[in-house]
C-alpha cells in the first residue's frame, strides 16, 4: 500500500481524499492543515497540524500538496521536499522553470522525488501538446479552455467595490474550433479564441452600468475579450453557479506531405475541476513513489514520466490489455 | 543528425521517407528492399538490397521496419535487432506479448534497443487508454475506429470469387459516441459500435445478390456488423476510394465521486493513415536512439517511453514552452 498525506484541505484536498478511495493500492495517512485540525470537515480522514507532519518521516510515501500556486506552493513544495516525496499542481506557467529549479535542488540534496505542475493544464494538456508537436512537427497547436469557471477571474470580479459575489465562465469559441478542425488556416487573436461570461451579485445601491464598464475594461482579465456581464441575486448565484465544471481542448492540426491534413484532438469535459485535478495528482503520486524507490531523486514533470508508472498494473498486464 | 534506414518500401515506407524530411535532426541513409533496388520508385532516397544492410552496422542509428504484421515483422524485427536499433508497427494485438518477448531477448543479448508496436493503435490509442484508466479508475473506456479504410477487410472482399477490386470503410456509430459522452451507461455489442460499408467492383456476369449475401454473412469480418454493400465501376473506385483516410476515438467516461462525471476523449482525423503512422514511427525512432545512447537495451513499447524522448527539444525548452 502506498501511504499518502494530504497537505492543505480545500476543494483540491477534498478531491484527493475522494480519489484515494478509488485506488486500491493507496491509503490516506492523514490531512495536514494550518487550521485547527478539529475545524476541518474531512470525509473520514484524520486531520493534524502541519507541525505533526515533521514527525512522520518514514511513515509517509508521498505528500500531495493541495495549496494554491500564488503563495502556498512556491514555499511549501521546496520545504516539504526536504523530508518527503511530493506532488504539486503549481500552475503559474511563467514561473514553472524557477519552481522546478528550486524543488530539484532540494530533492537532489535530500534524496527525495518530486513531480511538480501536475493536473490538466499544466499536465495532461502539456503532454498532448508534446506528443502532437513531436509527431506532426509541421503543424500548429491551439489550446482552448472551458466552458468552465476560472477562479482567478472570479476573484478579480469579487475585488471590485460594490460586488458581493461573482462567478466567471471562460467559454471557447466553438466556431473557431470547427474551422480549425476542418483544416482552415486562421490567424487568431486572444479575442477570437474565448469569450468570458460573468455572473455578479451587487450590493444594494451599486451602479450596474459603472460596474459593467469597470469589468469589461479591466486589463489582463477582461479587456482583451468579448465579455458578457449578468447581474443576478445571491440565491440564484448559489443555486446555479456554484458547481465547478471545466474542461477544454488541445487541437493540433498538421500536414504530413504537400496538403495531407492530420488532426489530433484531446478533449476534457469535467463536471468537477478540483476532483479531476485531484485524480491526476493521485496517479502521479504512484509514479513519484516508484521513481523514489528506483532512487531517481530530483524534480520531474509529467513530460519526464514513463506513462506506465501511473498505473498499478504490471508491464505484462499493460502490454496484454492496453496495446 | 540521427541516421535512419527504412526497411521495406510500400505506403508506410514512403510515409517514413516523407516524415524524415519534416524532422531537421534526421537524415535518411537509404531504403532497403527485397525487390531489385532499381525497381523501387522512392522520392529521392537511395534504394539497396537487404544484403547490403548487413554491412552498414555502425553507420545507422535506427532502422524503421515498414513491413506487414502478418508475415514480415514477426521475423524481420528480431532478425534486424541483432545488428541495429529498431522500430516497428507490429499491430496483431493478440500476439504483441509474444513478439515483445522475442525482440526483448535479441535486443538484450546484442545490446540494441527496439520499440515495437508503435503507430496509433497500438500506439497513441494505447497511451490514451493507459492515461485515462490510471487517472479515472472508476470508469469505462471505449475505442471507436473510423471513418476509415480497413486493409484487412478490403482484402477479404477481394478474395471473393467474382470480385475484381474492393474497398471497405469502418464507420463508428456517432449516436453511440454522443450518448456515452453525455454520460449514458450503455451495454454495447460489436454491432452497436461500428458499421461497415463496402464498395465492390464485380467481374462481368457476377451475381450481385449472391455476392452481397456472401459478404454480409462472412464470419469474423462482416457477420457481426451492419454492413452496406455498393457495387460500382473500377473507374469510380479508383477516383473516389483510393485515398487512405482513417482515424478514431478513445473515449473514457469516469466518475470521481458519487455521480460526478468526467470525460476524457482523444480523436484522430487522418487524411492519410500510412503517413500519420509513419510520423509516429519517426518520433519514436528519436526516442529509440536516445534510449540506446543511455544503454537502455531491450524491447520497449510506447507505454514505457518518457514523453520528452519523442521531442528534439531540450528539457528546459519543453518545460518553458509546453507546460
Amino acid at each position: 500500500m502506498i501511504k499518502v498525506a494530504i497537505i492543505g484541505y480545500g476543494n483540491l484536498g477534498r478531491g484527493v481524499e475522494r480519489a484515494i478511495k478509488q485506488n486500491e493500492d493507496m491509503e490516506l495517512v492523514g490531512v495536514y492543515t494550518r487550521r485547527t485540525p478539529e475545524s476541518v470537515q474531512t470525509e473520514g480522514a484524520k486531520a493534524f497540524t502541519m507541525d505533526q507532519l515533521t514527525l512522520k518521516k518514514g511513515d509517509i510515501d508521498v505528500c500531495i500538496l493541495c495549496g494554491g500556486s500564488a503563495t502556498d506552493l512556491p514555499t511549501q513544495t521546496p520545504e516539504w521536499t526536504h523530508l518527503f516525496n511530493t506532488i504539486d499542481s503549481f500552475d503559474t506557467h511563467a514561473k514553472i522553470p524557477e519552481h522546478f529549479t528550486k524543488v530539484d535542488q532540494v530533492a537532489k540534496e535530500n534524496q527525495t522525488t518530486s513531480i511538480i505542475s501536475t493536473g490538466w493544464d499544466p499536465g495532461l494538456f502539456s503532454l498532448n501538446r508534446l506528443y502532437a508537436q513531436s509527431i506532426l512537427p509541421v503543424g500548429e497547436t491551439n489550446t482552448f479552455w472551458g466552458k468552465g469557471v476560472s477562479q482567478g477571474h472570479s476573484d478579480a470580479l469579487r475585488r471590485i467595490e460594490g460586488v458581493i459575489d461573482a462567478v466567471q465562465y471562460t467559454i471557447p469559441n466553438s466556431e473557431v474550433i470547427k474551422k480549425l478542425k476542418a483544416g482552415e488556416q486562421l490567424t487568431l487573436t486572444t479575442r477570437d479564441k474565448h469569450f468570458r461570461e460573468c455572473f455578479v451579485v451587487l450590493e444594494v445601491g451599486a451602479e450596474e452600468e459603472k460596474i459593467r464598464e469597470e469589468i469589461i475594461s479591466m486589463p489582463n482579465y477582461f479587456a482583451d475579450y468579448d465579455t458578457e456581464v449578468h447581474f443576478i441575486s445571491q440565491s440564484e448565484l448559489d443555486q446555479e453557479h456554484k458547481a465547478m465544471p471545466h474542461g477544454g481542448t488541445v487541437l493540433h492540426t498538421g500536414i504530413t506531405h504537400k496538403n495531407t491534413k492530420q488532426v489530433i484532438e484531446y478533449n476534457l469535459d469535467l463536471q468537477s475541476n478540483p476532483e479531476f485535478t485531484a485524480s491526476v495528482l493521485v496517479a502521479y503520486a504512484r509514479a513519484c513513489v516508484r521513481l523514489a524507490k528506483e532512487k531517481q531523486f530530483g524534480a520531474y514533470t509529467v513530460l519526464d514520466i514513463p506513462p506506465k508508472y501511473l498505473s498499478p498494473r504490471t508491464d505484462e498486464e499493460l502490454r496484454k490489455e492496453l496495446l
Side-chain angles (χ1 to χ4, degrees), chain A residues 9 14 17 31 37 40-47:
Chain A
Y9 195 82
R14 180 175 297 108
E17 183 178 10
V31 165
V40 177
Q41 299 285 324
T42 71
E43 297 181 345
K46 284 186 187 156

Side-chain angles (χ1 to χ4, degrees), chain A residues 58-86:
Chain A
D59 297 334
I60 290 168
D61 294 315
V62 59
C63 293
I64 302 184
L65 284 87
C66 299
S69 294
T71 56
D72 299 331
L73 299 176
T75 56
Q76 282 184 352
T77 310
E79 185 184 320
W80 291 114
T81 303
H82 276 98
L83 293 175
F84 297 102
N85 303 313
T86 57

